[in-house]
Amino acid sequence: MRTLCSSTLIGEALLVLFAALVAMQLSSVSTATVWIVSGIAMALCVALCGMINRPGAVQIGWVLQIGLIASGFILPTMFGLGVVFAGLWWCSVHYGRKVDEFKAARAAAEAGAAVQA
């Protein structure tokens, strides 16, 4: 799960950077505001990469996804991109947990077979 979620978060950090560059040119919001909000979002993405297996990290990730979608009020294309990354986040969490459960079950079966041998 850690690998999938981290990949999604790094992709999001890059997306936020590129969106900030576009928002500075298109938006009526000040440049400082764009960079402060973008910087916080990018820092949160990178920080979450290291905290994926800790309690509450997935929930913080969901808050980040909602914030990304809400940033569509500043830059309308972020609505669509936010939904895409929210879907990627869901897939990363869902399938990452399934892979982790499969690996744990396989390790337990191998340990049980080793004990019997």
Side-chain angles (χ1 to χ4, degrees):
M1 183 168 96
R2 184 180 181 125
T3 303
L4 291 172
C5 289
S6 294
S7 299
T8 300
L9 289 168
I10 294 301
E12 271 186 86
L14 290 172
L15 171 81
V16 169
L17 173 66
F18 295 136
L21 295 172
V22 172
M24 286 186 337
Q25 303 300 321
L26 300 177
S27 180
S28 61
V29 179
S30 72
T31 303
T33 303
V34 169
W35 281 115
I36 290 170
V37 172
S38 300
I40 291 169
M42 287 186 290
L44 187 56
C45 286
V46 172
L48 274 174
C49 286
M51 298 176 9
I52 292 299
N53 291 333
R54 296 209 170 130
V58 172
Q59 289 79 10
I60 293 171
W62 279 115
V63 170
L64 179 66
Q65 305 312 317
I66 292 168
L68 197 64
I69 294 169
S71 69
F73 290 111
I74 296 171
L75 186 63
T77 57
M78 290 303 291
F79 281 124
L81 291 171
V83 169
V84 168
F85 273 97
L88 285 172
W89 182 252
W90 178 84
C91 288
S92 298
V93 170
H94 179 72
Y95 292 113
R97 285 183 177 158
K98 284 188 177 256
V99 168
D100 288 348
E101 290 170 2
F102 175 75
K103 285 183 178 181
R106 187 174 181 183
E110 288 176 358
V115 170
Q116 291 179 358

